[in-house]
Amino acid sequence: MDSSTIPAAISDGVRERILSAARAEFAQCGFGAASVRTIAQRAETTAAMINYYFGGKQALYDTVVADAQGRLFARLAAAIAAGGREGLPVRLALAHFDFLVEERELQRLLLRQMLDQGGAVRERSEALVGPLTRLMHEHFGDRDAARELAVSMFGAISGYFIYEPVLGAFLGQDPLSPERLAARRRHIAELTMLLERSTQ
Amino acid sequence: MDSSTIPAAISDGVRERILSAARAEFAQCGFGAASVRTIAQRAETTAAMINYYFGGKQALYDTVVADAQGRLFARLAAAIAAGGREGLPVRLALAHFDFLVEERELQRLLLRQMLDQGGAVRERSEALVGPLTRLMHEHFGDRDAARELAVSMFGAISGYFIYEPVLGAFLGQDPLSPERLAARRRHIAELTMLLERSTQ
DNA sequence: GCCCCTGTTAAACACTCGTTTAGAACGGTT
DNA sequence: AACCGTTCTAAACGAGTGTTTAACAGGGGC
């Protein structure tokens, strides 16, 4: 919610306002249910401006999604580049976790993209997953067990946020409170180290 | 895809045809992007029949979602009721895994529901999560570590299917092939036992 | 002065949406 | 026979969809 109003007031470039409004709206409603008029209203413009700057609803969506994918990948790449072999799994896991905490909007966006256009994601995923996979192989080899564990860790990390609406009843407290997030972060780090040891 | 055509041919009750067409369409497109006319076409009827039998698009959606939630919960409850304390975590994990393998459509449906109407899910989750949580507490006590691990396991299991479009590039093979699914199932069981031991 | 280009607006376009309505067909009851 | 409720169809309704269009400002170059 903040990300559509506050940045809109700071930078008053129409293109940027549309982009951040679209990010919020697409994340909230998905591509099909989002309306260009609503996006324009959030960006304090008219719908025609969206076509003027981006060429159409689909092109705007593609821009927003590519941007989000790039941001997530940059975060993970930075975690890999940060240090040596030591503690890399924990760095990767925590980078993913922190990304999801700070950019919950982008997670919704990318999740929806996976649900809506799984096929399109499959085609483009080579460019995104390829480099990350290669870097992982440099560090861990290409053992099946390591790959399997990596999938489990990514699922465990993002699952906490995906199932957040249901976790309140399960955990007995707000899953997104600072204390809860800190506890979850510790758990993720410990779990990663435990699993790392188990493959050695 | 099959679930909309084959069952429609078997049972030719209009109400049932609409239900299974709606399940497929809502899972594929989400509530907002799905169209009652498309659903009617899949069910070989007219859109007016949807209002005649269900009262409207929203009511049809609610029916479909409640049915899906009930099916998932029944599966998990059966896994809990199946035996004693011994091996319960593994039974629960594998029940969840098998549910997702057999009913991928329902997973998409419930995932979308969580994304689209997180608030509504939060309200209704007590009825769904409550009994399951109570049963878990009977078996594991209400230690924080056990709850945290349960969340991780649910995430790891469902994450495999959520990220399926991307996993092909990461794993180097079709994530949904029978051999791959069998390997993943073994991994889930081993992982669950490993984590169970770690909390004792 | 005039002209061109960029940014912006409001109106209109054709279309789809969910829902409502009037009426027809049908089987069963009286 | 006439009547009834149920099931279904086809058409229409108003609202909202993405996109296009024509007109309009305003600044810089000639």
Side-chain angles (χ1 to χ4, degrees):
Chain A
M1 45 188 81
D2 292 331
S3 57
S4 76
T5 58
I6 296 184
I10 293 177
S11 88
D12 64 345
V14 180
R15 213 188 110 100
E16 278 70 27
R17 287 208 315 265
I18 293 178
L19 267 178
S20 89
R23 186 160 42 233
E25 192 68 10
F26 283 138
Q28 202 165 67
C29 312
F31 176 77
S35 131
V36 292
R37 282 185 170 84
T38 308
I39 294 175
Q41 210 166 345
R42 275 186 128 161
E44 295 171 28
T45 346
T46 59
M49 282 292 90
I50 288 178
N51 285 16
Y52 179 73
Y53 279 107
F54 296 93
K57 184 189 183 183
Q58 181 70 56
L60 171 62
Y61 180 73
D62 291 344
T63 307
V64 166
V65 166
D67 184 62
Q69 285 178 337
R71 261 198 253 189
L72 169 59
F73 179 68
R75 194 71 160 256
L76 296 180
I80 291 181
R85 183 168 316 222
E86 206 69 30
L88 176 59
V90 176
R91 278 207 313 277
L92 258 177
L94 292 183
H96 188 200
F97 184 85
D98 293 338
F99 175 82
L100 295 182
V101 171
E102 297 164 28
E103 314 238 43
R104 272 177 62 62
E105 195 175 84
L106 295 192
Q107 186 199 23
R108 289 171 67 97
L109 193 72
L110 295 177
L111 250 180
R112 280 192 190 283
Q113 222 246 337
M114 207 106 62
L115 284 172
D116 288 338
Q117 348 188 341
V121 173
R122 197 172 292 113
E123 290 167 15
R124 273 181 267 174
S125 63
E126 181 61 40
L128 279 169
V129 180
L132 189 63
T133 307
R134 240 173 292 121
L135 284 167
M136 278 198 56
H137 285 178
E138 285 179 24
H139 288 266
F140 305 112
D142 56 354
R143 288 165 301 148
D144 283 348
R147 269 198 294 258
E148 203 90 62
L149 277 175
V151 174
S152 296
M153 280 310 301
F154 270 79
I157 293 167
S158 54
Y160 186 80
F161 299 96
I162 295 172
Y163 294 132
E164 174 258 316
V166 142
L167 290 186
F170 182 67
L171 297 173
Q173 48 183 315
D174 176 18
L176 300 181
S177 72
E179 309 83 33
R180 194 79 263 297
L181 284 178
R184 182 68 188 172
R185 198 175 190 274
R186 278 195 304 275
H187 167 78
I188 291 297
E190 287 167 15
L191 188 58
T192 308
M193 289 187 288
L194 172 69
L195 297 186
E196 192 182 7
R197 270 199 304 277
S198 77
T199 62
Q200 286 169 354
Chain B
M1 44 191 80
D2 292 330
S3 58
S4 76
T5 58
I6 296 183
I10 293 177
S11 89
D12 63 345
V14 180
R15 213 189 109 100
E16 278 68 28
R17 288 209 313 266
I18 292 177
L19 267 178
S20 89
R23 188 162 39 234
E25 191 68 11
F26 283 138
Q28 201 166 67
C29 313
F31 176 78
S35 131
V36 292
R37 282 185 170 84
T38 307
I39 294 175
Q41 210 167 346
R42 276 185 126 160
E44 296 171 27
T45 345
T46 59
M49 282 293 91
I50 288 179
N51 285 15
Y52 178 74
Y53 280 107
F54 296 93
K57 183 189 184 184
Q58 180 72 54
L60 171 62
Y61 180 73
D62 291 344
T63 305
V64 166
V65 166
D67 184 63
Q69 285 179 337
R71 261 198 253 190
L72 169 58
F73 180 68
R75 194 72 161 256
L76 296 180
I80 290 181
R85 183 169 317 222
E86 206 69 28
L88 176 59
V90 176
R91 279 207 313 277
L92 258 177
L94 291 184
H96 188 201
F97 183 85
D98 293 338
F99 175 83
L100 296 181
V101 171
E102 297 164 28
E103 315 239 44
R104 273 179 59 64
E105 195 175 86
L106 295 192
Q107 185 197 26
R108 287 172 67 99
L109 193 72
L110 296 177
L111 250 180
R112 280 193 190 283
Q113 222 245 338
M114 206 105 64
L115 284 172
D116 288 339
Q117 347 186 338
V121 173
R122 197 172 292 115
E123 290 167 15
R124 274 181 267 174
S125 63
E126 181 61 40
L128 280 168
V129 180
L132 190 63
T133 308
R134 240 173 292 120
L135 285 167
M136 279 199 56
H137 285 178
E138 285 177 24
H139 289 266
F140 305 112
D142 56 353
R143 288 166 299 150
D144 283 349
R147 270 197 294 257
E148 203 91 64
L149 277 175
V151 174
S152 296
M153 280 310 301
F154 270 80
I157 294 167
S158 55
Y160 186 79
F161 299 97
I162 296 173
Y163 294 131
E164 173 258 316
V166 141
L167 290 186
F170 181 68
L171 298 173
Q173 48 184 313
D174 175 17
L176 300 182
S177 73
E179 309 83 32
R180 195 78 263 298
L181 284 179
R184 182 67 188 173
R185 198 174 188 276
R186 279 194 304 274
H187 166 77
I188 291 296
E190 287 168 14
L191 187 58
T192 308
M193 289 186 290
L194 172 69
L195 297 187
E196 192 182 5
R197 271 198 303 276
S198 77
T199 62
Q200 287 168 352

